[in-house]
Amino acid sequence: MFIHPNALNSLEIKEITKFASQFCRCELGFFVSENTRPAENLSDLKERLALFSSYINFIDKNGDLPWSPKIVPIYHMIDSAKSCGILSGQELIFVRILMSLADRLKYTLMEFLDEYPQFKILTEQLRDFSSELEQLSVIDEDGYLYDSASEYLSNTRMNIRNIRDKIRARANTIFNDKQISPLLTERVLSQRYGKFVCLVRADARTTFPGTLIEVAPRGNSVYMAPHVLDNLNAQYNSLCAEEKNESDRILTAITTNLIARLGAINSAENVIGTLDLFFSLAEIIRKYKWHIPHIATKTYVNLKEARHPLLPQNSVPINICCGEDFSSLVITGPNTGGKTVALKTVGVCTILTWFGWPIPASDDSTIGDIDAIFTDIGDEQSIEQSLSTFSAHIKQIKEIDEAATGKSLILLDELGAGTDPEEGAALGIAMLENFLERGSLVISSTHHNPIKYFAITHKGVEAASVEFDAKTLCPTYKILIGVPGQSNAITIASVLGLSQKIIARAKNAMQGEANTQEMISELIQKTEALELKQRKTESLFQKATEQKEKYDKKLKNLTDNEFEIVNSAKEKANEILRSTQNEAKNFIKKIRNSHDLKDAQRILEKKNKSVKERATSHTRSIEDKLKKESVAVTGETLQTGDTVMILSLGTKAIIQEVNNKEATVTSKNGNVTISHVKLSNLKLVASTKEKKPEKNVTIFIERPTNVPMELDLHEMDRATALPELEQYLDRAYRAGYGSVRIIHGHGKGVMRQAVHDVCAATSFVKSFALAGISDGGYGATIVIFKRG
């Protein structure tokens, strides 16, 4: 996509890129941000967005990629070394840091290449620096060469140390000489201009056996080189010169090799800068709720909940579209109502998208195939060129007309302004018709009623307005598509206290416009009423959907638990029977000594009969309730191979044969066959026609195996993810894990909140919290189970 220079300036793209790169950690990230150019075509754009999406998914699941806070740009440093041929040890430390990071990044990206194939774009730019890193290993952390850098350097430095030891020994002799030591200011050996010297009293300079090298700052002492050290000083200086020559030789050789790898270094810096920019954009997504838009193959713009990035976060978001049912949108409304901001928001979001970046809009926004973007926004009056505002606008329109195609986006602010209203409106309409014939996407703003009328009546053109509250005299900044706006100048003047006589005359002067203004006002009111009804309808639909999900979940729980209820009821009845029988036995013991034993036994038998009837009735009532779901009642047809539930036993079986009102079944493992089972005692669980895997609610005695330590939900919808989460937590808890990780992704936080709600409602969960940066940060939650 081509961006006209006027568009870059009027849309403040430099300021936008600074905002987007505010969380970059090094200069390379800022450099990549400032020098990003839009994708050339849709294929390139989709590739960029796929790469950025892969990065976001990666850090959600695995935390950040390798990084070093000491990274600095090195390309220009090495490029400038072509003239001098050598880099210092300190400079080479920065080279080693960058190359080491490039190697670690390549290793990590290659490790995840199967899962994120888009990373190949980056790994191909990261070359192998192993030989350079081996060369650079001869430098210590302070930038000095190790003795082992070469054998000659090692020997030279050993000789230097030996000479230095001899000099110190000879100096001690001087310090201990009773004739010389009184001449010294201090018993200290120093170095001046490559020679070892003593600090001598100024009045003893002619007496001390040595050569004057320098006068001390205060003047009461002088630095003198003792004659006894002359030979040793000469040897020391010679060895130091040899050491420097050898060090320079080694550094020059390393520098020469690095200059030969300038292309690879430039590519590595580009990858590191890109990943640093991705880090900043990920933080922008998290902090400012930006999103990656959808991409359309047609020339189209549809922004939902879009904000200009340089406006405060509490600014009113806008919904605006163009390119579906109409290719030209004319926005009208009062001054300071937000028309220009709306145009700039569209332009900024389009350019950011074609950069391959997220945009300050909701995730259901769409940007299409746009080959160029042109703007005529703001007062472009040029004193140097002696151009009026109108002339400057015409000059820009001329450039746009010469370059725009049917796939271009054109943003025109104050169409027809700066000249006679009638002529300006006529020119504005002519411009719209010209671009309409060409098929260009045009979004413009105007105050001229003829242009408004053209937008309402002409096919392919749509009118819109920035909503204005006439009571408060404040714009709401809301874009109303299909509704032409009013300038409200007379209304504002009236509220501000302008003479009613003047107001009346103004209204009379606008008699020809009265019907149009009245129509516009009525249309705005109807649109507001319609939007209110739509919001209420959407709210009711949302509530209905939530209720349906709620009852579907309750129904599933009932289905899963109904057979446990039967067994529980049977057990409860048996418990009642056992309890009563025990009471009866105690009763018999008490009355054994009774004279009327037969009467007591009759009472006991009557009581046992009553208890049995109560237990049987309790069980039968539960079973009757469940048998209403039998195939005899539901009318479902059983076939060989169907899975059924034997209601009286609460167990599952396979249909072998159906004969009238009875069936022959076998147990699930095939070990037991039961004949003449009534259809009223069978419930269809899974038909062979459906071939759907059944979800059994099974109570395991042994611990489950092969349970992973983490669960990835971030690509699931809420309805699928929550049941999956509940089952996983149960299995992980019974598997004996102390803690697990749930990956829910960043997103808008909806899935994260849903995961936390499930964890809070789970009795065996001790605690849960967002993961650390290395474990996924805001994109994952660590769950700790109750144990002991």
Side-chain angles (χ1 to χ4, degrees), residues 626-638 679 682-684:
L626 293 178
K627 286 181 180 180
K628 289 179 181 179
E629 299 180 359
S630 69
V631 295
V633 176
T634 62
E636 295 170 296
T637 302
L638 295 180
L679 298 186
L682 296 177
K683 175 186 175 181
L684 180 62

Side-chain angles (χ1 to χ4, degrees), residues 405-422:
T405 71
K407 296 172 66 175
S408 300
L409 172 62
I410 303 170
L411 305 174
L412 305 174
D413 194 22
E414 299 297 345
L415 189 62
T419 187
D420 176 79
E422 290 187 11

Side-chain angles (χ1 to χ4, degrees), residues 1-4 6-13 300-301 303 308 318 320-322 327-331 339-352 367 370 372-378 380 393 396-397 400-401 404-405 407-416 431-432 435 440-446:
M1 183 178 76
F2 168 73
I3 306 175
H4 193 277
N6 284 338
L8 286 172
N9 293 330
S10 61
L11 297 177
E12 305 170 278
I13 297 304
Y300 176 63
V301 169
L303 297 177
H308 194 284
I318 64 170
I320 188 169
C321 62
C322 189
S327 62
S328 184
L329 181 67
V330 178
I331 306 174
K339 300 188 299 297
T340 303
V341 170
L343 296 182
K344 287 187 174 183
T345 301
V346 173
V348 167
C349 288
T350 301
I351 290 174
L352 290 179
I367 299 292
I370 296 171
I373 181 167
F374 302 92
T375 64
D376 178 28
I377 297 175
E380 301 296 337
H393 286 316
Q396 291 194 25
I397 294 295
I400 295 172
D401 180 49
T405 71
K407 296 172 66 175
S408 300
L409 172 62
I410 303 170
L411 305 174
L412 305 174
D413 194 22
E414 299 297 345
L415 189 62
M431 292 174 192
L432 292 179
F435 293 127
S440 303
L441 212 61
V442 180
I443 302 178
S444 59
S445 68
T446 188

Side-chain angles (χ1 to χ4, degrees), residues 109-127:
L109 294 172
M110 291 289 289
E111 185 180 358
F112 290 91
L113 205 54
D114 290 340
E115 188 175 355
Y116 303 99
Q118 292 80 8
F119 284 170
K120 187 177 180 181
I121 300 171
L122 302 176
T123 58
E124 288 178 343
Q125 296 182 62
L126 293 171
R127 314 295 166 73

Side-chain angles (χ1 to χ4, degrees), residues 183-318:
L183 307 177
L184 303 176
T185 304
E186 293 180 359
R187 295 165 59 89
V188 175
L189 189 66
S190 305
Q191 271 189 286
R192 287 291 186 277
Y193 303 103
K195 293 185 178 182
F196 287 90
V197 296
C198 297
L199 191 60
V200 180
R201 298 197 329 261
D203 59 348
R205 57 192 299 179
T206 57
T207 309
F208 185 82
T211 304
L212 177 66
I213 302 299
E214 184 182 29
V215 178
R218 293 184 179 180
N220 57 350
S221 300
V222 293
Y223 290 102
M224 300 188 71
H227 292 314
V228 294
L229 298 182
D230 286 346
N231 289 336
L232 292 175
N233 270 329
Q235 293 179 48
Y236 178 81
N237 288 331
S238 176
L239 288 171
C240 285
E242 291 180 22
E243 182 205 20
K244 184 179 185 308
N245 291 336
E246 178 64 8
S247 296
D248 287 350
R249 185 192 67 79
I250 296 171
L251 295 178
T252 299
I254 295 174
T255 303
T256 301
N257 289 336
L258 292 177
I259 291 173
R261 298 299 308 276
L262 269 176
I265 290 169
N266 186 51
S267 296
E269 285 193 339
N270 182 59
V271 170
I272 292 171
T274 298
L275 291 173
D276 191 30
L277 176 60
F278 281 2
F279 176 86
S280 181
L281 292 174
E283 288 296 297
I284 291 287
I285 288 175
R286 182 185 64 81
K287 185 172 182 179
Y288 297 107
K289 309 303 180 188
W290 288 22
H291 294 91
I292 300 173
H294 299 286
I295 302 301
T297 55
K298 59 185 176 182
T299 303
Y300 176 63
V301 169
N302 185 12
L303 297 177
K304 302 290 185 66
E305 300 292 310
R307 289 182 173 87
H308 194 284
L310 299 184
L311 291 179
Q313 276 296 97
N314 60 356
S315 60
V316 178
I318 64 170

